[in-house]
Amino acid sequence: MEMEMLQEILDKHAKWLNNEVGGVRADLQLDDLQDADLQDANLQDAILQDVNLLGANLQGANLQDANLQGTDLQDANLQDANLQDANLFGANLQGANLQSAGLQGAGLQGANLLGAFLQGADLQDTGLLDLQDPDLLDANLQYVEKEKLQEILDKHAKWLNNEVGGVRADLRGADLQYASLRGADLRGADLRGAGLPNALLQGAFLQGADLQGAFLQGADLQYADLQDTDLQDAGLQYAFLHGAGLRGADLRGADLRGADLQGTSLSWVNWHEAENIRVYVAGLQSSRENAQLTYIPSIDVATTGSWQGSWQETIDWIHSVYAEGTQEQKAYDLAIEYIQAQMELDNVEADE
C-alpha cells in the first residue's frame, strides 16, 4: 500500500474516532503493510485482521481495542505500544519487540510469542504467565532444546507402538513455553508440572497423559484430545479449549479462569474443587457408578453420562428417555430441582 493512501486512511480514522464529518473507521483487513512505518499511529479500534505487518514499526502506536486476529506481526517493533483489550487471537508475534507495551486485557489465545521481547510489558488479565509469577519461579522448570524435545517425541512414538528403543516421554518440569506441539502424539506422557504457558497444542493427542500441576495458561488446545487426562491442579487460565475432547478428564483443583470451553466435550469430567468456574453437580440415586447431572451456566452446557447439551435440551432429553414415574426420572427430577434451586440462590446472593 502506498504511504499516501495509508496516511489518508489514518486521517479519516482520526476523524471517525472524534465523531467528525468525513470520518471513516480504518479497515485494513488482509492488506500488505510489511515494514510500514506506523510509529505513534492512532489505530484505536481499527480493523487489522490478517494484515501483513511483518517487520513494521509500531513503536508507541495506539492499538487499543483493535482487531488484530491472525495478523502477522513477526519482528515488528511494538515498543511502548498501547494494545489494551486488543484482539490478538492467533496473531504471529514471533520475535516482536513488546518492551513496555501495554497489553492489559488483550486476547492472546493461540498467539505465537516465540522469541518475543516482553520486558516491562503490562500483561495484566492476558492469561500470560508473567516471568515474576511466584508459581513459575518456584517450579524450577528445566529448559528443553528443540532437538532434545524431538528426540523425546520420537522415542515416545516408538513406546506407543511397542517398538524397540521406545521410551515413555518424561517431560516433568520441562520448560515448554510457547512450544509448537501442534498434532503431537503425547498419549500417556508424563508432563507433571511442565511449563506450557501459551504453547501451541492444537489437535495434540494427550489422551491419558499426566498433566498434574502443569502450567497451561493461555495455551492453545483447540481440538486437542484430552480424554481421561489428569489435569489436577493444572493452571488453565485463559486456555483456548474450543472443540477439545475432555471426556473423563480429571479437573480437580484446576484453575479455569477465563478458559474458552465453547464446543468442548465435557462428559464424565471430574470438576471437584475446580477453581474460577461455576459448575453445578447433583448426584443421582442410581446403580451407575459416578451417576450425576452437571451444569456449567457460563457456556450453557449440561452433561449426564455420555449426554451433553444445553440445560433445556438436557431436561427435554431426560423426559423423552425416561417414562414418567420411573425411578430414573424421579432421580433426575430431584437433581434438576436441586441445581435450579442452587442457581436461584446464587442469583439472589449476586443481586445483594
Side-chain angles (χ1 to χ4, degrees):
M1 178 182 288
E2 295 293 333
M3 197 61 208
E4 293 79 9
M5 184 182 295
L6 180 57
Q7 189 58 56
E8 182 182 348
I9 292 171
L10 292 173
D11 292 341
K12 288 183 177 180
H13 186 69
K15 290 182 178 180
W16 177 77
L17 287 170
N18 293 318
N19 295 313
E20 296 176 9
V21 176
V24 180
R25 183 186 186 188
D27 186 348
L28 294 160
Q29 187 171 353
L30 297 173
D31 281 339
D32 186 355
L33 297 173
Q34 183 172 342
D35 298 320
D37 187 359
L38 290 162
Q39 184 171 349
D40 298 320
N42 189 355
L43 285 161
Q44 181 179 348
D45 209 26
I47 301 170
L48 297 160
Q49 188 172 354
D50 296 314
V51 176
N52 178 13
L53 283 162
L54 178 68
N57 180 16
L58 288 152
Q59 183 174 355
N62 183 4
L63 292 155
Q64 183 174 349
D65 294 310
N67 183 0
L68 290 149
Q69 184 171 352
T71 296
D72 189 352
L73 288 154
Q74 184 172 345
D75 298 322
N77 182 7
L78 288 152
Q79 184 175 349
D80 298 314
N82 179 8
L83 289 151
Q84 184 175 345
D85 297 318
N87 178 0
L88 287 157
F89 285 16
N92 182 13
L93 288 155
Q94 183 172 344
N97 179 7
L98 288 155
Q99 183 178 5
S100 301
L103 285 153
Q104 309 96 307
L108 286 159
Q109 286 95 328
N112 180 6
L113 285 150
L114 187 67
F117 186 54
L118 290 159
Q119 184 176 353
D122 189 341
L123 303 171
Q124 185 176 351
D125 297 325
T126 62
L128 285 178
L129 195 60
D130 193 291
L131 293 177
Q132 299 303 314
D133 188 296
D135 290 333
L136 181 59
L137 291 173
D138 292 342
N140 191 26
L141 300 179
Q142 301 299 312
Y143 180 70
V144 181
E145 295 286 348
K146 186 177 180 180
E147 294 75 14
K148 179 63 176 177
L149 178 59
Q150 190 58 56
E151 180 185 342
I152 292 170
L153 292 174
D154 291 342
K155 288 183 177 180
H156 186 70
K158 290 181 178 180
W159 176 77
L160 287 170
N161 294 315
N162 295 314
E163 296 177 9
V164 176
V167 179
R168 181 191 181 197
D170 185 352
L171 289 161
R172 288 174 292 174
D175 183 357
L176 298 169
Q177 288 191 70
Y178 313 120
S180 181
L181 291 162
R182 294 183 181 92
D185 194 343
L186 286 160
R187 288 173 294 162
D190 191 345
L191 288 150
R192 284 175 290 173
L196 287 154
N198 310 295
L200 304 177
L201 288 153
Q202 302 101 315
F205 298 93
L206 290 154
Q207 184 176 356
D210 192 342
L211 283 151
Q212 286 188 64
F215 299 91
L216 287 154
Q217 290 88 339
D220 190 345
L221 289 151
Q222 184 177 196
Y223 300 108
D225 183 359
L226 292 154
Q227 183 173 339
D228 299 322
T229 300
D230 191 342
L231 287 157
Q232 289 184 69
D233 301 315
L236 286 157
Q237 300 96 315
Y238 299 98
F240 191 37
L241 289 152
H242 182 86
L246 278 161
R247 178 187 173 97
D250 190 344
L251 287 166
R252 285 178 291 175
D255 191 340
L256 289 144
R257 176 166 56 93
D260 182 357
L261 293 166
Q262 293 291 338
T264 304
S265 175
L266 298 167
S267 56
W268 299 110
V269 168
N270 188 340
W271 296 100
H272 186 63
E273 294 186 350
E275 299 178 1
N276 293 309
I277 185 170
R278 181 162 291 179
V279 182
Y280 297 98
V281 181
L284 297 168
Q285 294 180 352
S286 171
S287 58
R288 292 182 302 155
E289 185 178 359
N290 297 324
Q292 61 185 28
L293 176 64
T294 302
Y295 181 52
I296 305 120
S298 59
I299 53 173
D300 188 25
V301 166
T303 65
T304 181
S306 298
W307 165 268
Q308 179 169 320
S310 70
W311 181 243
Q312 190 56 54
E313 287 171 346
T314 302
I315 293 172
D316 293 342
W317 175 80
I318 289 167
H319 290 159
S320 68
V321 171
Y322 299 106
E324 186 175 354
T326 60
Q327 182 179 349
E328 290 84 357
Q329 192 190 66
K330 288 179 180 178
Y332 270 114
D333 284 343
L334 285 172
I336 291 167
E337 289 174 9
Y338 171 77
I339 289 176
Q340 288 178 332
Q342 289 298 308
M343 286 193 290
E344 289 174 7
L345 181 61
D346 287 341
N347 289 334
V348 169
E349 291 178 352
D351 290 340
E352 294 176 350

